[in-house]
Amino acid sequence: MGLPVHPFRIEIPQTDLDDLSRRIAATRWPDEIAGAGWSRGVPLSYLRELAQYWAEEYDWRAAESRLNRYPQFRTTLDGASVHFLHVRSRHPEARPLLLTHGWPGGVAEFLEVIDPLTDPTAHGGSPQDAFHLVIPALPGYGFSSPLPGPGWDVARVAGAWAQLMSELGYSRYLVQGGDAGSVVSLALGALATEHVAGVHVNMLMTFPGPDSPPPISLDDRDRARLDGLARFDQELSGYLKVQATRPQTLAYALTDSPVGQLAWIVERFKDWTDSAKVPEDAVDRDLMLTIVTMYWLTATAGSSAQFYFEGAEGMRQVVAGASPPPVTAPIAVAVFPKDIFLPIRRIAQHQYPSISRWTEFEAGGHFAAMEQPESLVADLRAFHRELR
């Protein structure tokens, strides 16, 4: 291998954890409009209770220990320091699989799927279902920080991932992702056609374009999904527009206030998941707080938001229905019903003719690996079998 790859362990100083607790205790709380619930943002009573739990009961050391069970490394790709997990299966014929997270996520969002994917015989599968996993943190996220400079858009990340897989000795592999991870996975499929055997995504944005199927040809479900895209643009996309235009200004608030960082992320878990009243209806509370804590401890609120700034023009093209770069490898689309972006199959098939698998699930939302790990694992195994 040409690049130095260094073993890595997460070892947060106790002084950082003590400082977090102190800052939470010193929070200056706002008032709120009575009876607003979640309609104006995160409710005060909910966030107070969650912040108290974070400071007094949540166990970062347990999360740290759980992450450190898996081999972790750091290397430099295109000038960026990248942290990644590399978990090889005990089954020698396992297929390499690259998992990419999105925002507000990180490598920890895959904790529930690592063991079933690498050791399927212990989790209801067969040796033929096994994967060797590579799970990198996006540049500017978590321990893949700080960012070395501007320019880290989707295409550049895809190129870095291709380099990483080559350096690890994998010449043929599958890729999977949700949120930004789905966009990076599709870009990698278009870039490294001779290496990517298949692309699995659990989010796909299908905005109609000039050459899309006409609206009159869409059924009621598809039209409802178009309405959902309109709601996202009108109500749920404030975070995106701030991060895509003023990430540095946002960084000051979120890097200084842990409760501000908590609210910024927790609201996404409420809006984007299959939850009834609170995010914990869909996602384990401690796992959600592990995600938040990693952003806080690494001070990556701002650097992670830079990814949106770099990708703003690409997002505008997606919303305009521009044709994406062609992906020749088979594509599998896993659709979880409470995701913020529910794809329209006719448009998706038009934009990505190589879609070979389409699965509509009955439960789950945007964070599939955290909300519905068994379903995600089963769909990945099924896609893998189809490609054998």
Side-chain angles (χ1 to χ4, degrees):
M1 293 188 294
L3 289 176
V5 176
H6 305 288
F8 180 82
R9 282 180 61 83
I10 302 172
E11 295 177 327
I12 298 299
Q14 185 59 42
T15 52
D16 289 0
L17 301 180
D18 294 342
D19 177 66
L20 171 59
S21 296
R22 179 187 63 78
R23 286 171 179 265
I24 294 173
T27 299
R28 184 184 181 199
W29 295 96
D31 58 11
E32 67 175 349
I33 300 296
W38 287 84
S39 65
R40 295 171 182 252
V42 184
L44 179 60
S45 60
Y46 170 80
L47 199 65
R48 273 186 177 275
E49 189 276 326
L50 183 61
Q52 182 178 4
Y53 178 89
W54 190 18
E56 299 176 4
E57 298 182 54
Y58 169 75
D59 187 353
W60 165 257
R61 292 302 183 198
E64 186 179 71
S65 176
R66 187 180 181 191
L67 283 160
N68 284 335
R69 285 178 49 210
Y70 302 109
Q72 298 173 67
F73 305 89
R74 290 184 79 170
T75 191
T76 300
L77 301 169
D78 193 13
S81 178
V82 172
H83 166 239
F84 65 97
L85 280 63
H86 186 197
V87 189
R88 289 186 59 83
S89 172
R90 62 188 177 91
H91 300 290
E93 300 303 315
R95 187 193 289 262
L97 171 62
L98 172 67
L99 299 173
T100 304
H101 67 84
W103 183 90
V107 297
E109 72 182 71
F110 295 111
L111 281 170
E112 296 295 326
V113 302
I114 292 176
D115 290 344
L117 290 173
T118 56
D119 189 10
T121 55
H123 297 84
S126 67
Q128 290 74 32
D129 295 323
F131 295 96
H132 301 308
L133 298 183
V134 179
I135 311 174
L138 290 167
Y141 286 67
F143 297 102
S144 289
S145 58
L147 274 176
W152 279 96
D153 59 5
V154 168
R156 190 171 179 183
V157 173
W161 281 190
Q163 182 186 9
L164 175 62
M165 295 303 279
S166 176
E167 292 292 335
L168 295 176
Y170 296 130
S171 60
R172 193 76 172 158
Y173 47 87
L174 299 183
V175 296
Q176 198 283 330
D179 193 79
S182 71
V183 183
V184 170
S185 297
L186 289 165
L188 182 53
L191 172 71
T193 55
E194 70 277 23
H195 300 298
V196 175
V199 180
H200 185 287
V201 296
N202 57 276
M203 186 199 82
L204 187 64
M205 293 183 287
T206 53
F207 290 88
D211 57 348
S212 297
I216 195 171
S217 68
L218 303 180
D219 61 23
D220 290 343
R221 183 175 68 176
D222 291 340
R223 290 181 185 136
R225 291 182 176 185
L226 278 179
D227 291 343
L229 293 175
R231 177 177 178 246
F232 174 81
D233 182 59
Q234 295 167 10
E235 180 186 344
L236 302 179
S237 63
Y239 78 95
L240 185 154
K241 292 169 182 175
V242 173
Q243 296 192 157
T245 59
R246 297 295 185 270
Q248 187 62 37
T249 302
L250 176 68
Y252 299 115
L254 301 190
T255 305
D256 187 61
S257 169
V259 168
Q261 177 71 93
L262 179 66
W264 190 248
I265 291 179
V266 162
E267 186 177 66
R268 309 287 85 74
F269 279 93
K270 173 61 172 65
D271 287 343
W272 301 355
T273 62
D274 194 358
S275 60
K277 295 182 179 179
V278 293
E280 294 92 325
D281 293 338
V283 177
D284 177 80
R285 170 176 275 203
D286 284 356
L287 185 53
M288 180 173 66
L289 287 174
T290 295
I291 298 289
V292 177
T293 307
M294 288 187 71
Y295 277 87
W296 173 259
L297 293 174
T298 57
T300 48
S303 57
S304 63
Q306 297 292 340
F307 187 79
Y308 282 80
F309 185 91
E310 301 290 353
E313 178 56 34
M315 185 64 183
R316 281 191 287 270
Q317 293 177 14
V318 169
V319 172
S323 297
V327 179
T328 57
I331 298 174
V333 181
V335 183
F336 292 87
K338 297 300 182 179
D339 200 353
I340 46 167
F341 296 114
L342 291 175
I344 297 169
R345 187 168 187 174
R346 291 198 63 192
I347 297 177
Q349 205 79 55
H350 177 78
Q351 294 178 336
Y352 296 99
S354 65
I355 290 175
S356 62
R357 180 179 178 82
W358 187 282
T359 311
E360 298 267 353
F361 291 94
E362 295 183 358
H366 192 68
F367 301 94
M370 300 173 71
E371 295 182 70
Q372 296 290 326
E374 297 88 355
S375 296
L376 183 64
V377 167
D379 205 57
L380 271 165
R381 288 177 180 174
F383 184 47
H384 171 45
R385 293 184 198 119
E386 291 172 1
L387 298 180
R388 283 205 300 265

